[in-house]
Amino acid sequence: MAGSSYGTIFRITTWGESHGKGLGVVVDGCPAGLSLKASDIQEYLNRRRPGRNRYSTQRAENDLVEILSGVFEGKTTGTPISLLVPNTDQRSRDYSEIAGYYRPGHADFGFDAKYGFRDYRGGGRSSGRETIGRVAAGAIASLLLKELGITLCAYTRSIGPVSIEKFDEEEIESNPLKMPDAEAAERASAWLEQCMSQKNSSGGIIECVVHGMPAGAGDPVFEKLDANLAKAIMSIGAVKGVEIGDGFQAASATGLENNDAFTVGEDGRITTLTNHAGGILGGISSGNDILLRAAVKPTASIAARQRTVSRQGESIEIEIHGRHDPVIVPRAVVVVEAMTALTLIDALLLGMGSRLDNLKKIWRP
Amino acid sequence: MAGSSYGTIFRITTWGESHGKGLGVVVDGCPAGLSLKASDIQEYLNRRRPGRNRYSTQRAENDLVEILSGVFEGKTTGTPISLLVPNTDQRSRDYSEIAGYYRPGHADFGFDAKYGFRDYRGGGRSSGRETIGRVAAGAIASLLLKELGITLCAYTRSIGPVSIEKFDEEEIESNPLKMPDAEAAERASAWLEQCMSQKNSSGGIIECVVHGMPAGAGDPVFEKLDANLAKAIMSIGAVKGVEIGDGFQAASATGLENNDAFTVGEDGRITTLTNHAGGILGGISSGNDILLRAAVKPTASIAARQRTVSRQGESIEIEIHGRHDPVIVPRAVVVVEAMTALTLIDALLLGMGSRLDNLKKIWRP
Amino acid sequence: MAGSSYGTIFRITTWGESHGKGLGVVVDGCPAGLSLKASDIQEYLNRRRPGRNRYSTQRAENDLVEILSGVFEGKTTGTPISLLVPNTDQRSRDYSEIAGYYRPGHADFGFDAKYGFRDYRGGGRSSGRETIGRVAAGAIASLLLKELGITLCAYTRSIGPVSIEKFDEEEIESNPLKMPDAEAAERASAWLEQCMSQKNSSGGIIECVVHGMPAGAGDPVFEKLDANLAKAIMSIGAVKGVEIGDGFQAASATGLENNDAFTVGEDGRITTLTNHAGGILGGISSGNDILLRAAVKPTASIAARQRTVSRQGESIEIEIHGRHDPVIVPRAVVVVEAMTALTLIDALLLGMGSRLDNLKKIWRP
Amino acid sequence: MAGSSYGTIFRITTWGESHGKGLGVVVDGCPAGLSLKASDIQEYLNRRRPGRNRYSTQRAENDLVEILSGVFEGKTTGTPISLLVPNTDQRSRDYSEIAGYYRPGHADFGFDAKYGFRDYRGGGRSSGRETIGRVAAGAIASLLLKELGITLCAYTRSIGPVSIEKFDEEEIESNPLKMPDAEAAERASAWLEQCMSQKNSSGGIIECVVHGMPAGAGDPVFEKLDANLAKAIMSIGAVKGVEIGDGFQAASATGLENNDAFTVGEDGRITTLTNHAGGILGGISSGNDILLRAAVKPTASIAARQRTVSRQGESIEIEIHGRHDPVIVPRAVVVVEAMTALTLIDALLLGMGSRLDNLKKIWRP
């Protein structure tokens, strides 16, 4: 089915494979009047760019984005914004070996089961490069949110056994692991060196905090804001778990520990003394910071010898060659931020008419 | 917006409040030809029924389901199946107190922020009774899956600090806590007694396993099977976290530990030696058991004294009276199973045409 | 698939068969704060009620609607409004004859081809009674539109060869044929008498005018307002054609004749001198009256002898007995109005965020 | 909102403006395994190409399509197919005049009302060039349908007052007006010469016939096959009316005239003696030819002097200069065919699981 679209009013459609002509996204439903230029989007894309340190692939991707439509005289027109990122560094290596077997931890087997065959070059559509469209679209969503006073901050919370112990926002972009804790980043580096020396890889956890989200967005029942965030985050390749607020820790807590007592803030608005709920109650934003976490599995592509099965059904042993990141967490940080932004802007657009008086504000002012 | 529908081809729409005339669900898109009678659905509803032990509310709900449409001569016709469960035990107690403040951990504040007011009687639409429609529809989805050789098994994995240490499927329905481990159930009971004596409550973890799922269901990118499962599960009130396969544990694992090596099973089909992935690779089912977990927060309604704020913005202290479960995990087990079933049947229906030859099988046989 | 829902933000889901327990609709996404009582809806349902004159079936349907959810203290809460109309007059006649063959002009054959069998009692889901849910939901949509200053007026434009020659709004509800021209109604009555004497039936045309629609609703390309209106109207059983504005007449006109010259109205707002476009330009409402027409085919159920084929594939001759309207146009008038209202309210809700400044008005006031 | 997507399982998303960098479409949900090359698509695009005769604009568009993704080794992979048609002939003329007023019959005013401003160059997103994406996607849909034995044939039925009087399929592509009647085409040419000499334009009617459609596609109630066709066709710019089968003629017919008597065909399959219904009964395909018609209004851009209003609200007189077709019907023929094909393939994909036994055929073979 059509699985490459996300969102209802603010809807993005991504396309492209690792080794095709390029990757792109069509952003439809963006409100008119937002100032937008390619460099605004490029800034986000650069945050996912590999090849900048020894923990990510050495593929020299520039991933330059071009705006093909939807912007006129520097502003969005309300019509679809088509973004294109040409592929420029597809090495013409021989993929015939990969074509013949199923890489453990990869989507190869699923694609064959579903479609009967697959574009095996560099993972095709299941490549990490698929996230380029998400990030490019997420940049636009983030700009819209900013206009509403809403800002997002995502970062690496842990890599393998190493977790952050403090939070210094300035530090996030200062280390290649995107950790808001320089010392933790150093320990994580040592851990990754060890993984690499064993032709192995590591997982990690990404956290995202949203400031300034107004209360009242999201819906009861199936379109809960946290439900949509969970889908958005879990749709990122390699993510195996999602938490909102205290998440799994809430499962071992008591009601007295977990309930957030309401209080009146200094600005006179109702808020809570704690935020175990992560800014969402009953599926609806409470006005508190939204807090979520994503569990990212270790990179499936490892150089170590592994058992698998060929397409013909023979048991074989393989060694996967090529450029692989020992950890994908740092590069996925901006993807988590993008998917969060896309979910929030759609919820805000969908929720504009929750009350009759709001409907009147727009259509019978 | 319209947030009370779930699914694309097999789409359910639930309605109803805790203290209204009843609750119900319309199940649209169910394939024709499935044998269905009210008792098939009742069996599932009975599994979520409270009032059967000291850990759930004493409200004497019978929750008897009636099929209003969509079934003819014992079989589904392909047209909408409307199911109705009348409310019979709404005590006419005075809710005016609850109406005036925001209960910590509840949806009250969110509803007021979104809609301007709320049906405060028993939680209205945010009541746990909202899940009646999910479970009734899930029963039908489960029957369809069974016809395809797919079965589901959900159970309580942990309550507060007490986790299961063995798995005895027979045991699940034998203890009120739905744990597949009788000893763990006893320890969990003791823990709940302690919570109750302190007017407190407990969270827990629910696990669901799916056997017999064929490979090839689900889609790459945004409509990944795990992404939709995450949304489905997180949309259940009180769920704060979702994991697929190893989930958060994968974040601290290495690639060598986490990759599932492919092998050829005894039946000649390709399978894996381990199942860290939880039956889904690249968003597509692999043919292995699907495994997921839901973190359930402690019941928000506790009898202990709590701080909060009135609708007028005054800081107050409250004690919530009435019937409350010290833990909702056991009653939510069947809800997790239902949401899983609903997600799987929709993915199977949506994925029928993934290959041209399948399209020909149906339309040009 | 799930074909019984309509709308995106304001979404209705209808269910029920002619001879089942009842019919109903779930209205999801209705903004909170609208005053609503059962009698508001009943008023619309009464307009489609048969049994009031010799041109519609003598089935004594009362079609009394009950609100089961979504309204609290007289106002919509923003949660799903479930409406139920029990079936009370299903005569227990023998349908076994109809079960065995395909009635010409009916959905029987299509249902069998699609589902393998069908609920043949009174047409099952393809009965005209299916429109009860549409009208009940349309009543709510109309009330919302009224709050925005938008009113709808539908009526019979022609029956068989008899067309209206003048427009007297008062007259519409004064004659059983819903014609705004008393003399035309008389001529149409004579025509229908003739049809009935020949065991025959007649088609006709319904027209709907919308006053007060603000400019700027609807979308370019696929979600054009006229495209959605066309779907809405064509989804009514027996409708075989839809026109907006001049419709098919525009096909034989020239640009000079058909273009509506812009001008400045007395209220200072931009309008047009003529309205050949029917209030929609480029898929977006222009602020002029919206004008549409539906071609309704003659009632398929006629008492005259007809050729057909049995389910076993034998050529046979049949005479359909029972209660049939010689024309369904008058009863379908309110259905056209309802579907128009449902389409407009959804377009207005979806279009609230077309500009960044509107988004700010709601979320950052 | 996101109005540039069409379809549920086979979903297309178009983008691009008349004078931007290009136009394109993402085709998502196409089944894997279809042979596809750019020239297959180019063939359809060439049918809408202007500049080939004196009745269409002299803009020398080549409209060469490039496949950017979704095809591997000559076959569709099931992942999104991104198609790009660069704009090559945007003359850098001065549009500042058009920018300042509302062209009668154009979308200008609607866009301003909705978005606050517009890309006025060549009509921007409301240009006829928007249909490039529809036609490119429709080519793929048509290829899929062909694999199922379903073929489409669209043509000009009338231009202004001139209608076809015979049907010679070979003739359609032999005359620039796409009429299946050479003599009618000549008379229509004379009529268009007259229009052009008066700086005027003409409307017309397009007809589309579908052969080989299997019975059982489409859904009852809101997702009727004819309802979706009506939306698809009405979403084409300039279309003001849609008919299925006899359409508006059915409104003046009697039941005896309009009912299609069932019979058994020579191939032993059930069919009908006549086809007034146009191949659809109760929203479901009957296996007969599907027949539809679209009323196309006269080209809004005419060189004759017209009254209008400036953006500042002043009444003015204008003469629109530039390249305009005196009739757009011939170029829209392939667009009608494309939209029909897109609607049918989606209905077929959505309807695969209408029966439990079909579900088993795919998932438990």
Side-chain angles (χ1 to χ4, degrees):
Chain A
M1 70 164 284
S4 295
S5 292
Y6 183 74
T8 298
I9 291 194
F10 189 96
R11 185 194 294 151
I12 72 167
T13 302
T14 70
W15 57 269
E17 294 95 25
S18 175
H19 284 58
K21 293 190 179 169
L23 297 111
V25 61
V26 182
V27 178
D28 199 12
C30 179
L34 176 74
S35 294
L36 183 69
K37 46 190 192 306
S39 59
D40 295 324
I41 301 166
Q42 193 62 51
E43 198 181 305
Y44 278 79
L45 283 177
N46 291 350
R47 287 172 58 196
R48 74 164 290 290
R49 194 159 53 182
R52 296 196 301 180
N53 62 74
R54 49 178 291 137
Y55 309 122
S56 39
T57 65
Q58 297 309 306
R59 178 166 167 172
E61 295 165 0
N62 281 316
D63 291 343
L64 294 178
V65 69
E66 193 181 354
I67 300 177
L68 299 182
S69 69
V71 176
F72 182 58
E73 296 180 344
K75 287 191 186 294
T76 58
T77 60
T79 61
I81 305 165
S82 180
L83 303 176
L84 171 67
V85 175
N87 280 332
T88 53
D89 184 40
Q90 317 94 301
R91 295 199 193 158
S92 53
R93 50 172 288 219
D94 183 9
Y95 281 98
S96 56
E97 195 192 331
I98 282 181
Y101 59 73
Y102 299 118
R103 290 171 298 164
H106 275 276
D108 303 346
F109 180 71
F111 271 65
D112 267 18
K114 182 177 181 70
Y115 298 119
F117 73 111
R118 68 185 193 276
D119 178 349
Y120 45 75
R121 301 165 304 163
R125 182 72 176 146
S126 70
S127 160
R129 286 184 66 70
E130 170 260 308
T131 59
I132 284 177
R134 300 177 186 241
V135 172
I140 301 175
S142 295
L143 289 171
L144 282 168
L145 292 173
K146 210 171 165 187
E147 295 276 341
L148 301 173
I150 304 165
T151 55
L152 292 87
C153 176
Y155 47 87
T156 300
R157 185 186 165 88
S158 72
I159 288 182
V162 183
S163 288
I164 58 169
E165 286 167 11
K166 62 179 183 186
F167 182 83
D168 174 0
E169 187 165 348
E170 305 270 301
E171 180 60 31
I172 299 171
E173 292 295 325
S174 303
N175 67 74
L177 299 179
K178 314 262 182 189
M179 287 180 128
D181 174 346
E183 287 165 46
E186 266 186 52
R187 289 199 308 280
S189 292
W191 160 252
L192 288 177
E193 292 291 340
Q194 189 187 321
C195 291
M196 288 166 80
S197 69
Q198 295 164 351
K199 300 181 176 180
N200 206 345
S201 63
S202 175
I205 295 175
I206 296 168
E207 196 161 67
C208 183
V209 185
V210 182
H211 305 286
M213 186 71 188
D219 280 272
V221 194
F222 300 114
E223 299 296 329
K224 287 192 167 85
L225 189 56
D226 35 357
N228 279 315
L229 285 168
K231 175 172 180 172
I233 302 303
M234 194 71 98
S235 79
I236 303 170
V239 171
K240 301 300 289 182
V242 185
E243 295 181 319
I244 305 290
D246 280 6
F248 275 84
Q249 209 175 308
S252 53
T254 67
L256 273 170
E257 289 160 357
N258 188 70
N259 278 356
D260 299 307
F262 285 100
T263 188
V264 180
E266 290 179 14
D267 57 357
R269 291 199 302 189
I270 294 173
T271 181
T272 53
L273 290 170
T274 51
N275 188 16
H276 299 292
I280 302 172
L281 280 171
I284 301 169
S285 62
S286 66
N288 280 14
D289 283 358
I290 291 177
L291 184 77
L292 60 85
R293 270 177 302 282
V296 181
K297 72 172 187 181
T299 319
S301 291
I302 49 177
R305 202 163 188 80
Q306 294 182 91
R307 280 187 58 180
T308 193
V309 167
S310 73
R311 290 194 79 192
Q312 284 69 40
E314 296 163 310
S315 286
I316 54 173
E317 292 217 333
I318 57 162
E319 279 175 28
I320 303 171
H321 305 290
R323 303 163 298 186
H324 310 298
D325 299 0
V327 69
I328 60 168
V329 170
R331 294 182 60 189
V333 161
V334 70
V335 185
V336 166
E337 191 174 310
M339 292 308 301
T340 303
L342 289 164
T343 305
L344 298 182
I345 193 65
D346 201 38
L348 290 164
L349 282 161
L350 282 163
M352 290 178 74
S354 59
R355 306 178 189 197
L356 178 55
D357 54 354
N358 281 351
L359 197 57
K360 286 183 183 170
K361 263 184 216 164
I362 301 297
W363 288 112
R364 204 185 192 183
Chain B
M1 69 164 284
S4 295
S5 293
Y6 183 74
T8 299
I9 291 193
F10 189 96
R11 185 194 291 150
I12 72 168
T13 302
T14 70
W15 57 268
E17 293 95 24
S18 174
H19 284 57
K21 294 189 179 169
L23 297 111
V25 61
V26 182
V27 178
D28 199 12
C30 180
L34 176 75
S35 294
L36 184 70
K37 48 192 191 304
S39 60
D40 295 325
I41 301 166
Q42 194 62 51
E43 196 180 306
Y44 277 79
L45 283 177
N46 292 350
R47 288 172 58 196
R48 73 164 290 291
R49 193 159 55 183
R52 297 195 302 179
N53 62 73
R54 48 179 292 136
Y55 309 123
S56 39
T57 65
Q58 298 307 307
R59 178 167 167 171
E61 295 165 1
N62 282 315
D63 291 343
L64 293 178
V65 69
E66 193 182 355
I67 300 177
L68 298 182
S69 69
V71 177
F72 182 59
E73 297 180 345
K75 288 191 185 295
T76 57
T77 61
T79 61
I81 305 166
S82 179
L83 304 176
L84 172 67
V85 175
N87 280 332
T88 52
D89 183 41
Q90 318 93 300
R91 296 198 193 159
S92 54
R93 49 174 290 221
D94 183 8
Y95 282 97
S96 56
E97 195 192 332
I98 281 181
Y101 58 74
Y102 299 118
R103 290 171 297 165
H106 276 274
D108 304 345
F109 180 70
F111 271 65
D112 267 18
K114 182 177 181 69
Y115 299 118
F117 72 111
R118 68 184 193 276
D119 177 350
Y120 45 75
R121 300 165 304 163
R125 181 72 177 145
S126 70
S127 160
R129 286 184 66 70
E130 170 260 309
T131 60
I132 284 177
R134 300 177 186 240
V135 172
I140 300 175
S142 295
L143 288 171
L144 282 169
L145 292 173
K146 209 172 164 187
E147 295 276 342
L148 301 174
I150 304 164
T151 55
L152 292 86
C153 176
Y155 48 87
T156 301
R157 185 185 165 88
S158 72
I159 288 182
V162 183
S163 289
I164 57 169
E165 287 168 9
K166 61 179 183 188
F167 181 83
D168 174 1
E169 188 166 347
E170 305 270 303
E171 180 60 32
I172 299 171
E173 293 295 325
S174 303
N175 67 74
L177 299 179
K178 313 262 183 190
M179 286 180 129
D181 174 346
E183 288 165 44
E186 265 186 52
R187 290 199 308 279
S189 292
W191 160 253
L192 289 176
E193 292 292 339
Q194 190 186 320
C195 290
M196 288 166 81
S197 70
Q198 295 163 351
K199 300 182 176 178
N200 206 345
S201 63
S202 175
I205 295 175
I206 296 168
E207 196 161 67
C208 183
V209 185
V210 182
H211 305 287
M213 185 72 186
D219 280 272
V221 193
F222 300 113
E223 299 296 328
K224 287 192 168 86
L225 189 54
D226 36 356
N228 278 316
L229 286 168
K231 175 172 180 172
I233 302 304
M234 194 72 99
S235 80
I236 304 169
V239 171
K240 301 301 288 183
V242 184
E243 293 181 321
I244 306 289
D246 281 6
F248 275 85
Q249 209 175 308
S252 53
T254 67
L256 272 171
E257 290 160 357
N258 188 69
N259 278 355
D260 299 307
F262 285 101
T263 187
V264 180
E266 289 179 14
D267 57 357
R269 291 200 303 189
I270 294 172
T271 181
T272 53
L273 290 171
T274 50
N275 188 16
H276 299 294
I280 302 173
L281 280 172
I284 300 170
S285 62
S286 67
N288 280 14
D289 283 358
I290 290 178
L291 184 78
L292 61 84
R293 270 177 302 282
V296 180
K297 73 172 187 181
T299 319
S301 289
I302 49 177
R305 202 165 187 79
Q306 296 181 92
R307 281 187 57 179
T308 192
V309 167
S310 73
R311 289 194 78 193
Q312 285 68 41
E314 296 163 311
S315 286
I316 55 173
E317 291 216 333
I318 58 162
E319 280 174 27
I320 303 171
H321 305 290
R323 304 163 296 187
H324 309 299
D325 299 359
V327 69
I328 60 168
V329 170
R331 293 183 60 190
V333 161
V334 69
V335 185
V336 166
E337 192 175 307
M339 292 309 300
T340 303
L342 290 164
T343 305
L344 297 182
I345 194 65
D346 202 37
L348 289 164
L349 282 161
L350 282 164
M352 291 179 73
S354 59
R355 305 178 190 196
L356 179 55
D357 54 355
N358 281 352
L359 196 57
K360 286 182 184 170
K361 262 184 217 163
I362 301 299
W363 288 112
R364 205 188 189 179
Chain C
M1 71 164 281
S4 294
S5 293
Y6 183 73
T8 298
I9 291 194
F10 190 96
R11 184 194 293 151
I12 72 167
T13 302
T14 70
W15 57 267
E17 293 94 25
S18 174
H19 284 57
K21 293 189 179 169
L23 297 111
V25 62
V26 182
V27 178
D28 199 12
C30 180
L34 176 73
S35 294
L36 183 70
K37 46 191 193 304
S39 59
D40 296 323
I41 300 166
Q42 194 62 51
E43 197 181 305
Y44 278 79
L45 283 177
N46 291 350
R47 287 173 59 195
R48 74 164 290 289
R49 194 159 52 183
R52 297 196 302 180
N53 62 74
R54 50 177 291 137
Y55 308 123
S56 39
T57 65
Q58 298 308 305
R59 179 167 166 171
E61 295 165 2
N62 280 318
D63 291 342
L64 293 178
V65 69
E66 192 182 354
I67 300 177
L68 298 182
S69 68
V71 176
F72 182 59
E73 297 181 343
K75 288 193 185 294
T76 57
T77 61
T79 61
I81 304 165
S82 179
L83 304 175
L84 172 67
V85 175
N87 281 331
T88 52
D89 183 42
Q90 318 93 301
R91 297 199 193 160
S92 53
R93 49 173 289 220
D94 182 9
Y95 281 97
S96 56
E97 194 192 332
I98 281 181
Y101 58 73
Y102 299 118
R103 292 170 297 164
H106 275 275
D108 304 345
F109 180 72
F111 270 65
D112 267 18
K114 181 177 183 66
Y115 298 119
F117 73 112
R118 67 185 194 277
D119 178 351
Y120 44 75
R121 301 165 303 161
R125 182 74 177 144
S126 70
S127 160
R129 285 184 67 69
E130 170 260 309
T131 60
I132 284 176
R134 300 176 186 241
V135 172
I140 301 175
S142 295
L143 288 172
L144 282 169
L145 292 173
K146 210 171 164 188
E147 294 276 341
L148 300 174
I150 304 164
T151 55
L152 292 87
C153 176
Y155 47 86
T156 301
R157 185 186 164 89
S158 72
I159 287 182
V162 183
S163 288
I164 57 168
E165 287 168 9
K166 62 178 181 186
F167 181 83
D168 175 0
E169 188 166 347
E170 306 269 301
E171 181 60 31
I172 298 172
E173 292 296 325
S174 303
N175 67 75
L177 300 179
K178 314 264 182 189
M179 286 180 129
D181 173 345
E183 288 166 45
E186 266 187 52
R187 290 199 309 278
S189 292
W191 161 252
L192 289 177
E193 292 292 340
Q194 190 187 320
C195 290
M196 288 166 81
S197 69
Q198 295 163 352
K199 301 182 176 180
N200 206 346
S201 63
S202 176
I205 294 175
I206 295 168
E207 196 161 67
C208 183
V209 185
V210 183
H211 305 287
M213 185 72 186
D219 281 272
V221 192
F222 300 113
E223 299 297 327
K224 287 191 167 86
L225 189 55
D226 35 356
N228 279 315
L229 285 168
K231 175 173 181 172
I233 301 304
M234 194 72 98
S235 79
I236 303 169
V239 171
K240 302 300 288 182
V242 185
E243 294 180 320
I244 306 289
D246 281 6
F248 276 85
Q249 209 174 309
S252 53
T254 68
L256 272 171
E257 290 160 358
N258 188 68
N259 279 354
D260 299 307
F262 285 100
T263 187
V264 180
E266 290 180 12
D267 57 358
R269 292 200 303 189
I270 294 172
T271 181
T272 52
L273 290 170
T274 51
N275 187 16
H276 299 294
I280 301 173
L281 279 172
I284 300 168
S285 62
S286 67
N288 279 15
D289 283 358
I290 290 177
L291 185 78
L292 61 86
R293 270 177 303 281
V296 181
K297 72 173 188 179
T299 318
S301 289
I302 50 177
R305 202 165 187 78
Q306 296 182 90
R307 279 187 57 179
T308 192
V309 167
S310 73
R311 289 195 80 194
Q312 284 70 40
E314 297 163 310
S315 285
I316 55 174
E317 291 216 333
I318 58 163
E319 280 175 27
I320 304 170
H321 306 290
R323 303 162 299 186
H324 310 297
D325 299 0
V327 69
I328 61 168
V329 171
R331 293 182 60 190
V333 161
V334 70
V335 185
V336 166
E337 192 174 309
M339 291 309 299
T340 303
L342 290 164
T343 305
L344 297 182
I345 193 65
D346 201 38
L348 290 164
L349 281 161
L350 282 163
M352 290 178 75
S354 60
R355 306 177 190 197
L356 178 55
D357 54 355
N358 281 352
L359 196 57
K360 287 182 184 171
K361 262 184 216 164
I362 301 299
W363 289 112
R364 205 186 189 181
Chain D
M1 69 164 283
S4 294
S5 293
Y6 183 74
T8 298
I9 291 194
F10 190 96
R11 185 194 292 150
I12 72 167
T13 303
T14 70
W15 57 268
E17 293 95 24
S18 174
H19 285 57
K21 293 190 179 169
L23 297 111
V25 62
V26 181
V27 178
D28 199 11
C30 180
L34 175 74
S35 294
L36 184 69
K37 47 191 191 305
S39 58
D40 296 324
I41 301 166
Q42 193 62 51
E43 197 180 305
Y44 277 79
L45 283 177
N46 291 350
R47 288 172 58 196
R48 72 165 290 291
R49 194 159 53 183
R52 297 196 301 180
N53 61 73
R54 49 177 291 136
Y55 309 123
S56 39
T57 64
Q58 298 307 306
R59 178 166 167 173
E61 294 165 1
N62 280 317
D63 290 343
L64 294 178
V65 70
E66 192 182 355
I67 301 177
L68 298 182
S69 69
V71 176
F72 181 60
E73 297 181 343
K75 288 193 185 294
T76 57
T77 61
T79 60
I81 304 165
S82 179
L83 304 176
L84 172 67
V85 174
N87 280 331
T88 53
D89 183 41
Q90 318 92 302
R91 297 198 193 160
S92 54
R93 50 174 290 221
D94 182 9
Y95 281 97
S96 56
E97 194 191 332
I98 281 180
Y101 58 73
Y102 299 117
R103 291 170 298 164
H106 276 275
D108 304 345
F109 180 71
F111 270 64
D112 266 19
K114 180 177 183 68
Y115 299 119
F117 72 111
R118 67 185 194 276
D119 178 351
Y120 45 75
R121 300 165 304 162
R125 181 73 178 145
S126 71
S127 160
R129 286 185 65 70
E130 171 260 309
T131 60
I132 285 176
R134 301 177 186 242
V135 172
I140 300 175
S142 294
L143 288 171
L144 282 169
L145 293 173
K146 210 173 164 187
E147 295 276 340
L148 301 174
I150 305 164
T151 55
L152 292 87
C153 176
Y155 47 86
T156 301
R157 186 185 164 90
S158 71
I159 288 183
V162 183
S163 288
I164 57 169
E165 286 169 9
K166 62 178 182 186
F167 181 83
D168 175 0
E169 188 165 345
E170 306 269 302
E171 180 61 31
I172 299 170
E173 292 297 324
S174 302
N175 67 74
L177 299 180
K178 314 263 181 188
M179 286 180 129
D181 173 346
E183 289 165 43
E186 267 186 51
R187 290 198 309 279
S189 292
W191 160 253
L192 289 177
E193 292 291 340
Q194 189 186 321
C195 290
M196 288 166 81
S197 69
Q198 294 163 353
K199 301 182 176 179
N200 206 345
S201 64
S202 175
I205 294 175
I206 295 168
E207 196 161 66
C208 182
V209 185
V210 182
H211 306 287
M213 185 72 186
D219 280 272
V221 193
F222 300 113
E223 299 297 327
K224 287 191 168 85
L225 189 55
D226 36 356
N228 279 315
L229 285 168
K231 175 172 180 171
I233 302 304
M234 195 72 98
S235 79
I236 304 169
V239 171
K240 301 301 287 182
V242 184
E243 294 181 320
I244 306 290
D246 280 7
F248 276 85
Q249 209 175 309
S252 54
T254 68
L256 272 171
E257 290 160 357
N258 188 68
N259 279 354
D260 299 307
F262 284 101
T263 188
V264 180
E266 290 179 13
D267 57 358
R269 291 199 303 189
I270 294 172
T271 181
T272 53
L273 290 171
T274 50
N275 188 16
H276 299 294
I280 302 173
L281 280 172
I284 300 170
S285 62
S286 66
N288 280 14
D289 284 358
I290 291 177
L291 185 78
L292 62 84
R293 271 177 302 282
V296 181
K297 73 173 187 179
T299 318
S301 288
I302 49 177
R305 202 166 186 78
Q306 295 182 91
R307 280 188 57 180
T308 191
V309 167
S310 72
R311 290 194 78 193
Q312 283 70 40
E314 297 163 311
S315 286
I316 55 173
E317 290 215 333
I318 58 163
E319 280 174 28
I320 303 171
H321 305 291
R323 302 163 298 185
H324 309 298
D325 299 359
V327 68
I328 61 168
V329 171
R331 294 183 59 189
V333 162
V334 70
V335 185
V336 167
E337 192 175 307
M339 292 309 299
T340 303
L342 289 165
T343 305
L344 297 182
I345 194 65
D346 202 37
L348 290 165
L349 282 162
L350 282 163
M352 290 178 75
S354 60
R355 305 178 189 196
L356 179 54
D357 54 354
N358 282 351
L359 196 57
K360 286 182 184 171
K361 261 183 219 165
I362 301 298
W363 289 112
R364 205 187 189 180

